[in-house]
Amino acid sequence: MVYVSQHPLVRTKLTLLRNQHTTPKIFRELVGEISQFLMYEATSDLPLQPATVQTPLAHYHGYELQVQIGLIPILRAGLGMVDPILDMIPTAHVWHLGLYRDHETLQPVSYYNKLPSQVDVDICLVLDPMLATGGSASAAITVLKRWGVQRIKFLGLIAAPEGVAQVQHDHPDVDLHLAAIDERLNDIGYIVPGLGDAGDRQFGTH
Ligand code: PRP
Ligand code: URA
């Protein structure tokens, strides 16, 4: 399934994010804030188990998460989504995957992989602001499945229709949680209208 957030604050923050005059500092803050909204929506079906605490007055029969969550940022641009989500889910584990897109072929190239020796999470949230051709997201999901992860969701800020179709074709079991689906890719594989290069805009590179 593909979920596109309709939250008014996501839509206004995404407009600021796209603005070419937004500075890296504000850009990073917006990436984090929008990621928290996407995470909130993507985790609304997490299973709970009973947990009892003692308030100053009485026992309270409440809840705790039944599942262990893994956050999988795709380097580099996915890094900006990690800490704001960890603030909300402090028990999550973080597995880093380094992939970059070859500028000529647009194919993903793997350069770093820090997965644990054993799968110790129940649900993985793959984090990458941009889903363009879908090659990077699809490759990351394939790596996780080969590792033995059973349940995967993808969280992204802006997607192209081509990338959504690619990931749905390759991994129909993976839900996509997005802030927007834009018009198209241009002839060098950038999302239009998009926001430019999400890694460069976060980290001040060109
Ligand atoms: C960007 C983005 C995705 C990828 C999307 O990363 O963060 O990982 O491109 O493109 P795709 O859907 O066509 O694969 P990039 O390769 O620019 O690397 P960076 O994050 O290190 O800048
Ligand atoms: N990666 C980006 O950072 N932006 C795009 O538009 C496409 C891929």
Side-chain angles (χ1 to χ4, degrees), residues 95-118:
W95 302 355
H96 295 86
L97 281 184
L99 293 171
Y100 72 87
R101 229 171 41 146
D102 182 277
H103 283 294
E104 299 296 324
T105 65
L106 299 184
Q107 293 303 305
V109 180
S110 170
Y111 63 90
Y112 187 73
N113 172 337
K114 190 67 182 170
L115 303 185
S117 53
Q118 289 187 333

Tab-separated table of all heavy atoms in Angstrom, residues 95-118:
chain	number	residue	atom	x	y	z
A	95	TRP	N	20.425	0.407	11.844
A	95	TRP	CA	21.339	-0.303	10.935
A	95	TRP	C	21.609	0.629	9.763
A	95	TRP	O	20.677	1.065	9.078
A	95	TRP	CB	20.693	-1.571	10.376
A	95	TRP	CG	20.237	-2.586	11.367
A	95	TRP	CD1	20.404	-2.582	12.726
A	95	TRP	CD2	19.507	-3.787	11.062
A	95	TRP	NE1	19.831	-3.701	13.278
A	95	TRP	CE2	19.277	-4.460	12.290
A	95	TRP	CE3	19.053	-4.358	9.879
A	95	TRP	CZ2	18.599	-5.672	12.342
A	95	TRP	CZ3	18.366	-5.566	9.937
A	95	TRP	CH2	18.158	-6.212	11.161
A	96	HIS	N	22.875	0.909	9.479
A	96	HIS	CA	23.208	1.839	8.393
A	96	HIS	C	23.482	1.074	7.097
A	96	HIS	O	24.203	0.081	7.095
A	96	HIS	CB	24.443	2.657	8.761
A	96	HIS	CG	24.226	3.559	9.936
A	96	HIS	ND1	24.384	3.156	11.238
A	96	HIS	CD2	23.837	4.859	9.993
A	96	HIS	CE1	24.114	4.170	12.051
A	96	HIS	NE2	23.773	5.213	11.319
A	97	LEU	N	22.919	1.603	6.023
A	97	LEU	CA	23.202	1.067	4.686
A	97	LEU	C	23.698	2.214	3.818
A	97	LEU	O	23.019	3.240	3.700
A	97	LEU	CB	21.934	0.501	4.036
A	97	LEU	CG	21.435	-0.879	4.458
A	97	LEU	CD1	20.218	-1.258	3.609
A	97	LEU	CD2	22.527	-1.920	4.309
A	98	GLY	N	24.869	2.040	3.225
A	98	GLY	CA	25.407	3.072	2.340
A	98	GLY	C	25.164	2.717	0.887
A	98	GLY	O	25.630	1.689	0.403
A	99	LEU	N	24.388	3.558	0.210
A	99	LEU	CA	24.121	3.380	-1.226
A	99	LEU	C	24.201	4.742	-1.877
A	99	LEU	O	23.724	5.720	-1.314
A	99	LEU	CB	22.698	2.849	-1.466
A	99	LEU	CG	22.326	1.448	-1.009
A	99	LEU	CD1	20.811	1.255	-1.162
A	99	LEU	CD2	23.049	0.418	-1.840
A	100	TYR	N	24.841	4.809	-3.024
A	100	TYR	CA	24.707	6.048	-3.800
A	100	TYR	C	24.303	5.681	-5.217
A	100	TYR	O	24.501	4.550	-5.661
A	100	TYR	CB	26.003	6.886	-3.791
A	100	TYR	CG	27.132	6.312	-4.600
A	100	TYR	CD1	27.251	6.590	-5.955
A	100	TYR	CD2	28.072	5.476	-4.016
A	100	TYR	CE1	28.282	6.050	-6.703
A	100	TYR	CE2	29.107	4.931	-4.751
A	100	TYR	CZ	29.214	5.221	-6.098
A	100	TYR	OH	30.215	4.677	-6.844
A	101	ARG	N	23.741	6.652	-5.889
A	101	ARG	CA	23.265	6.448	-7.248
A	101	ARG	C	24.356	6.830	-8.225
A	101	ARG	O	24.832	7.966	-8.193
A	101	ARG	CB	22.071	7.381	-7.457
A	101	ARG	CG	20.893	6.719	-8.043
A	101	ARG	CD	19.700	7.589	-8.034
A	101	ARG	NE	19.854	9.003	-8.362
A	101	ARG	CZ	18.957	9.705	-8.993
A	101	ARG	NH1	17.847	9.125	-9.412
A	101	ARG	NH2	19.105	10.979	-9.227
A	102	ASP	N	24.752	5.905	-9.088
A	102	ASP	CA	25.721	6.249	-10.120
A	102	ASP	C	25.084	7.310	-11.031
A	102	ASP	O	23.960	7.127	-11.508
A	102	ASP	CB	26.079	4.992	-10.931
A	102	ASP	CG	27.121	5.300	-11.986
A	102	ASP	OD1	26.738	5.792	-13.072
A	102	ASP	OD2	28.297	5.036	-11.717
A	103	HIS	N	25.816	8.427	-11.247
A	103	HIS	CA	25.204	9.540	-11.986
A	103	HIS	C	24.917	9.201	-13.445
A	103	HIS	O	24.001	9.761	-14.052
A	103	HIS	CB	26.093	10.789	-11.896
A	103	HIS	CG	25.978	11.473	-10.567
A	103	HIS	ND1	24.828	12.078	-10.135
A	103	HIS	CD2	26.858	11.601	-9.552
A	103	HIS	CE1	24.991	12.576	-8.923
A	103	HIS	NE2	26.225	12.285	-8.537
A	104	GLU	N	25.701	8.290	-14.018
A	104	GLU	CA	25.490	7.924	-15.427
A	104	GLU	C	24.353	6.913	-15.587
A	104	GLU	O	23.425	7.110	-16.369
A	104	GLU	CB	26.774	7.310	-16.012
A	104	GLU	CG	27.980	8.242	-16.007
A	104	GLU	CD	27.757	9.452	-16.895
A	104	GLU	OE1	27.120	9.302	-17.954
A	104	GLU	OE2	28.200	10.559	-16.520
A	105	THR	N	24.450	5.831	-14.811
A	105	THR	CA	23.501	4.720	-15.004
A	105	THR	C	22.249	4.847	-14.142
A	105	THR	O	21.248	4.163	-14.388
A	105	THR	CB	24.167	3.385	-14.645
A	105	THR	OG1	24.466	3.398	-13.233
A	105	THR	CG2	25.455	3.180	-15.425
A	106	LEU	N	22.319	5.683	-13.084
A	106	LEU	CA	21.268	5.830	-12.073
A	106	LEU	C	21.059	4.542	-11.265
A	106	LEU	O	20.092	4.422	-10.515
A	106	LEU	CB	19.926	6.289	-12.686
A	106	LEU	CG	19.927	7.635	-13.397
A	106	LEU	CD1	18.518	8.010	-13.867
A	106	LEU	CD2	20.464	8.742	-12.482
A	107	GLN	N	21.996	3.608	-11.404
A	107	GLN	CA	21.893	2.363	-10.635
A	107	GLN	C	22.490	2.562	-9.239
A	107	GLN	O	23.494	3.264	-9.083
A	107	GLN	CB	22.650	1.227	-11.346
A	107	GLN	CG	22.038	0.812	-12.661
A	107	GLN	CD	20.579	0.382	-12.490
A	107	GLN	OE1	20.274	-0.488	-11.685
A	107	GLN	NE2	19.694	1.009	-13.238
A	108	PRO	N	21.895	1.933	-8.202
A	108	PRO	CA	22.447	2.071	-6.854
A	108	PRO	C	23.761	1.306	-6.714
A	108	PRO	O	23.905	0.201	-7.236
A	108	PRO	CB	21.366	1.450	-5.963
A	108	PRO	CG	20.596	0.545	-6.845
A	108	PRO	CD	20.686	1.105	-8.233
A	109	VAL	N	24.721	1.937	-6.024
A	109	VAL	CA	26.014	1.301	-5.753
A	109	VAL	C	26.150	1.182	-4.233
A	109	VAL	O	26.017	2.171	-3.511
A	109	VAL	CB	27.176	2.159	-6.302
A	109	VAL	CG1	28.517	1.488	-6.009
A	109	VAL	CG2	26.996	2.407	-7.794
A	110	SER	N	26.380	-0.034	-3.760
A	110	SER	CA	26.487	-0.270	-2.320
A	110	SER	C	27.922	-0.011	-1.874
A	110	SER	O	28.858	-0.508	-2.483
A	110	SER	CB	26.073	-1.710	-2.026
A	110	SER	OG	26.372	-2.027	-0.694
A	111	TYR	N	28.121	0.777	-0.798
A	111	TYR	CA	29.484	1.026	-0.303
A	111	TYR	C	29.622	0.832	1.185
A	111	TYR	O	30.715	0.914	1.724
A	111	TYR	CB	29.959	2.426	-0.706
A	111	TYR	CG	29.144	3.575	-0.112
A	111	TYR	CD1	29.498	4.140	1.105
A	111	TYR	CD2	28.043	4.080	-0.780
A	111	TYR	CE1	28.757	5.189	1.644
A	111	TYR	CE2	27.307	5.124	-0.247
A	111	TYR	CZ	27.669	5.673	0.957
A	111	TYR	OH	26.932	6.706	1.496
A	112	TYR	N	28.543	0.578	1.898
A	112	TYR	CA	28.640	0.374	3.352
A	112	TYR	C	27.417	-0.398	3.811
A	112	TYR	O	26.308	-0.176	3.318
A	112	TYR	CB	28.703	1.725	4.071
A	112	TYR	CG	28.976	1.611	5.547
A	112	TYR	CD1	30.240	1.273	6.015
A	112	TYR	CD2	27.964	1.816	6.484
A	112	TYR	CE1	30.491	1.163	7.377
A	112	TYR	CE2	28.208	1.717	7.843
A	112	TYR	CZ	29.476	1.392	8.287
A	112	TYR	OH	29.729	1.278	9.622
A	113	ASN	N	27.672	-1.298	4.777
A	113	ASN	CA	26.577	-2.140	5.247
A	113	ASN	C	26.879	-2.522	6.684
A	113	ASN	O	27.827	-3.245	6.942
A	113	ASN	CB	26.533	-3.387	4.341
A	113	ASN	CG	25.570	-4.430	4.824
A	113	ASN	OD1	25.232	-4.476	5.994
A	113	ASN	ND2	25.123	-5.275	3.911
A	114	LYS	N	26.113	-1.989	7.629
A	114	LYS	CA	26.361	-2.287	9.039
A	114	LYS	C	25.117	-2.965	9.627
A	114	LYS	O	24.402	-2.384	10.453
A	114	LYS	CB	26.704	-0.988	9.788
A	114	LYS	CG	27.217	-1.195	11.199
A	114	LYS	CD	28.558	-1.881	11.233
A	114	LYS	CE	29.032	-2.112	12.660
A	114	LYS	NZ	30.216	-2.989	12.716
A	115	LEU	N	24.890	-4.178	9.152
A	115	LEU	CA	23.781	-4.955	9.695
A	115	LEU	C	24.330	-5.818	10.834
A	115	LEU	O	25.486	-6.249	10.786
A	115	LEU	CB	23.175	-5.859	8.619
A	115	LEU	CG	22.666	-5.158	7.356
A	115	LEU	CD1	21.995	-6.168	6.444
A	115	LEU	CD2	21.688	-4.062	7.702
A	116	PRO	N	23.526	-6.086	11.854
A	116	PRO	CA	24.006	-6.916	12.956
A	116	PRO	C	24.157	-8.371	12.507
A	116	PRO	O	23.632	-8.754	11.462
A	116	PRO	CB	22.913	-6.772	14.008
A	116	PRO	CG	21.691	-6.473	13.226
A	116	PRO	CD	22.121	-5.703	12.023
A	117	SER	N	24.867	-9.164	13.305
A	117	SER	CA	25.098	-10.553	12.896
A	117	SER	C	23.789	-11.335	12.853
A	117	SER	O	23.643	-12.269	12.071
A	117	SER	CB	26.106	-11.218	13.810
A	117	SER	OG	25.693	-11.066	15.146
A	118	GLN	N	22.866	-10.973	13.707
A	118	GLN	CA	21.565	-11.662	13.711
A	118	GLN	C	20.446	-10.625	13.636
A	118	GLN	O	20.591	-9.527	14.175
A	118	GLN	CB	21.382	-12.446	15.000
A	118	GLN	CG	22.295	-13.664	15.070
A	118	GLN	CD	21.977	-14.513	16.272
A	118	GLN	OE1	21.483	-14.006	17.273
A	118	GLN	NE2	22.251	-15.802	16.178
